[in-house]
Amino acid sequence: MGSYEAVTTEKPATAKWVVTCMVGGVIVGVSLLGAYSSHLVAFFKSRRRNKKPVRVYMDGCFDMMHYGHCNALRQARALGDQLIVGVVSDAEIIANKGPPVTPLHERLIMVNGVKWVDEVIPEAPYAITEEFMKKLFDEYKIDYIIHGDDPCVLPDGTDAYAHAKKAGRYKQIKRTEGVSSTDIVGRMLLCVRERSISDNPNHSSLQRQFSSGRSPKFEAGASAASGTRISDFLPTSRRIVQFSNGRGPGPDSRIVYIDGAFDLFHAGHVEILRLARDLGDFLLVGIHTDQTVSATRGSHRPIMNLHERSLSVLACRYVDEVIIGAPWEVSKDMITTFDISLVVHGTIAENNDFQKEQFNPYAVPINMGIFKVLESPLDITTTTIIRRILSNHEAYQKRNEKKGESEKRYYESKSHVSED
């Protein structure tokens, strides 16, 4: 009996000790596993943090900047983690191509305003010399130099990117179909010729041709080398998605709305969009239809069609969303639908007499107390750009004829454009 009692009193103690050891072991094991997991996460975070980002470089004149330039920068950025952009100086452009339409300070605003650009180098050389390439590699820590598949030839006939290719640090992207700065200047020069040929109101308007997506054909009466081409841009949903931010406003976001033609997207547009974005959390931009622009600005406007203008605005880092084909009048229903908190308009615009008009497009937001006029930082409009072309007509015509030859050769020898 005594022996039995001794055994029964010892078993619970032994079991308790075993259970305690097991529980303790599990706790220690879990603690060690947790510590190991935390260390592992910290290790991989550290590796990601210490991993050198791939820095890519692309240069250009970025004169008369358009959605084709923006798409090139988008493609370049996709090849690395950080995109550094060199903007060629006015002097270098004059020496290699002819007079630029937009001066350096305006071109810098445009490039800095593109959402895929991380850093800008002003007054970059037109050609990648060995000296400048070494500076890119050593000072700017550039991994690859990028350019489009269209040839860039110096006045002496040599390849502007020969040194980068020889160093094995060159990558190539596809150029964007349907547009070039030469083409846009050509459209304006063609508009001038059309006005001089006929003032007949029934005469075919270039605006309708630009918007129709016609195949590239050189106009009758213009030299084949003039570079004057009708818009060949074929909009696709994929391209719009590539340019879109892909996100909407938050539930409590202050949504600011600004509208306009945004034709020949320029530095004045970028600066007013920057100011508008600073007034809220989400900037919604309305792009007027080609028909609306023609009705308010004249039959030879817009120079760029609706989808071309929409992509240029979408590429701007200050813009969150666009309405493609926005109505002329900002209605109560529209304000409610998009939950607009503030409607703004710049002091520098093609039409600033809207408050004197019988049908003021901003009457509703004005009556609601949600309309604000912003002081435009730059005194530039689309008409300003057109006048620059017209004031130096002969120089730009000569520049276009020279550039037009290479444009023609590119289109004659072009092959299938793969997905980018």
Side-chain angles (χ1 to χ4, degrees), residues 127-128 147 150-154 156-165 170:
I128 304 291
H147 186 64
D150 51 323
C152 185
V153 181
L154 298 174
D156 63 2
T158 59
D159 184 352
Y161 296 90
H163 292 298
K165 291 175 181 177
Y170 177 83

Side-chain angles (χ1 to χ4, degrees), residues 242-263:
Q242 287 173 333
F243 274 53
S244 174
N245 287 342
R247 63 176 182 270
D252 300 318
S253 293
R254 177 177 168 82
I255 300 172
V256 179
Y257 178 76
I258 185 171
D259 61 3
F262 297 99
D263 195 15

Side-chain angles (χ1 to χ4, degrees), residues 204-215:
S204 168
S205 168
L206 283 183
Q207 179 272 321
R208 289 192 295 274
Q209 296 173 19
F210 292 157
S211 304
S212 68
R214 275 177 38 178
S215 298

Side-chain angles (χ1 to χ4, degrees), residues 102-316:
T102 48
L104 179 64
H105 72 277
E106 290 180 23
R107 292 184 284 117
L108 288 173
I109 290 172
M110 294 298 294
V111 175
N112 272 303
V114 176
K115 61 187 176 186
W116 298 290
V117 175
D118 296 292
E119 189 179 334
V120 174
I121 301 175
E123 300 195 346
Y126 188 80
I128 304 291
T129 62
E130 282 194 85
E131 181 185 3
F132 185 68
M133 186 170 68
K134 188 176 187 305
K135 184 176 181 178
L136 289 176
F137 295 158
D138 296 344
E139 292 184 27
Y140 291 97
K141 308 301 180 187
I142 300 299
D143 295 288
Y144 297 102
I145 294 170
I146 300 171
H147 186 64
D149 63 353
D150 51 323
C152 185
V153 181
L154 298 174
D156 63 2
T158 59
D159 184 352
Y161 296 90
H163 292 298
K165 291 175 181 177
K166 186 178 179 181
R169 305 280 285 274
Y170 177 83
K171 287 190 176 184
Q172 191 167 279
I173 59 170
K174 284 287 184 183
R175 69 170 281 171
T176 304
E177 295 293 285
V179 68
S180 69
S181 298
T182 305
D183 161 51
I184 294 170
V185 172
R187 295 188 204 183
M188 283 183 271
L189 295 176
L190 187 56
C191 284
V192 175
R193 283 202 296 275
E194 187 180 84
R195 278 201 295 271
S196 66
I197 292 170
S198 174
D199 291 325
N200 185 341
N202 295 322
H203 186 66
S204 168
S205 168
L206 283 183
Q207 179 272 321
R208 289 192 295 274
Q209 296 173 19
F210 292 157
S211 304
S212 68
R214 275 177 38 178
S215 298
K217 292 181 180 178
F218 296 102
E219 292 297 302
S223 69
S226 70
T228 301
R229 301 171 58 250
I230 303 304
S231 173
D232 186 40
F233 176 60
L234 300 175
T236 64
S237 58
R238 177 173 158 275
R239 177 68 75 223
I240 293 171
V241 168
Q242 287 173 333
F243 274 53
S244 174
N245 287 342
R247 63 176 182 270
D252 300 318
S253 293
R254 177 177 168 82
I255 300 172
V256 179
Y257 178 76
I258 185 171
D259 61 3
F262 297 99
D263 195 15
L264 298 179
F265 197 64
H266 52 69
H269 290 138
V270 173
E271 287 293 84
I272 199 66
L273 291 173
R274 177 179 61 81
L275 292 185
R277 182 61 175 79
D278 286 343
L279 295 176
D281 308 302
F282 192 91
L283 181 60
L284 177 65
V285 182
I287 318 292
H288 294 149
T289 66
D290 296 338
Q291 292 72 25
T292 296
V293 177
S294 290
T296 56
R297 311 277 169 89
S299 62
H300 291 82
R301 300 282 190 89
I303 302 297
M304 310 290 283
N305 69 39
L306 174 60
H307 290 97
E308 292 177 308
R309 293 182 284 118
S310 296
L311 287 182
S312 291
V313 175
L314 267 176
C316 181

Side-chain angles (χ1 to χ4, degrees), residues 17 66 80 180 183 195 328 347 363 414 420:
W17 178 81
H66 48 72
S180 69
D183 161 51
R195 278 201 295 271
W328 176 251
T347 54
K414 63 170 276 194
D420 54 356

Side-chain angles (χ1 to χ4, degrees), residues 84-102:
I84 294 79
V85 180
V87 181
V88 178
S89 68
D90 291 342
E92 287 272 276
I93 296 176
I94 292 170
N96 289 278
K97 299 179 70 171
V101 178
T102 48

